[in-house]
Amino acid sequence: QVQLVESGGGSVQPGGSLRLSCAASGIFFSIRTCTWHRQAPGKERELVAAISPGSSTNYADSVKGRFTISRDNAKNTLYLQMYSLKPEVTAVYYCNVYKEGKPYWGQGTQVIVSS
């Protein structure tokens, strides 16, 4: 059974930083492309960043230069380092992987950026 557990969210002031983690189990993590998505209140879920099994990365234009996605295959863990946070990034952040054509999602971790 695939399980994804996000952590690391919280409430921070503008300009602050957070590092999100996503611990994966029940899946051969190292061969999967993994992604972070977010869903802000009243908005659809959107892709934030993706990382391939070889650690090639892609980012949404809105987060380029401020977010860094990474992975530790030995720990089956995905990360999202977020810098210079702005209020508009407030959302629930989810990690995602596919297995046999089926998407799996974690429960999400809330990020609030507010003064």
Side-chain angles (χ1 to χ4, degrees), residues 4-71:
L4 301 172
V5 180
E6 299 98 334
S7 61
S11 182
V12 296
Q13 293 188 340
S17 300
L18 282 173
R19 189 176 81 155
L20 308 184
S21 300
C22 172
S25 60
I27 192 168
F28 197 175
F29 179 79
S30 64
I31 67 170
R32 309 292 174 182
T33 291
C34 302
T35 60
W36 284 100
H37 290 68
R38 67 186 177 192
Q39 188 165 18
K43 296 187 177 181
E44 293 190 355
R45 194 171 296 189
E46 62 175 354
L47 176 66
V48 173
I51 186 166
S52 72
S55 293
S56 296
T57 58
N58 281 290
Y59 298 92
D61 287 343
S62 61
V63 305
K64 284 181 180 177
R66 293 186 294 113
F67 287 14
T68 301
I69 188 172
S70 62
R71 64 193 302 159

Side-chain angles (χ1 to χ4, degrees), residues 56-100:
S56 296
T57 58
N58 281 290
Y59 298 92
D61 287 343
S62 61
V63 305
K64 284 181 180 177
R66 293 186 294 113
F67 287 14
T68 301
I69 188 172
S70 62
R71 64 193 302 159
D72 185 335
N73 290 335
K75 295 182 179 179
N76 279 9
T77 301
L78 178 70
Y79 301 100
L80 186 69
Q81 179 69 55
M82 306 185 293
Y83 305 93
S84 302
L85 290 170
K86 300 179 180 180
E88 52 261 41
V89 309
T90 292
V92 178
Y93 284 71
Y94 302 88
C95 59
N96 164 269
V97 297
Y98 275 77
K99 180 180 178 182
E100 298 173 355

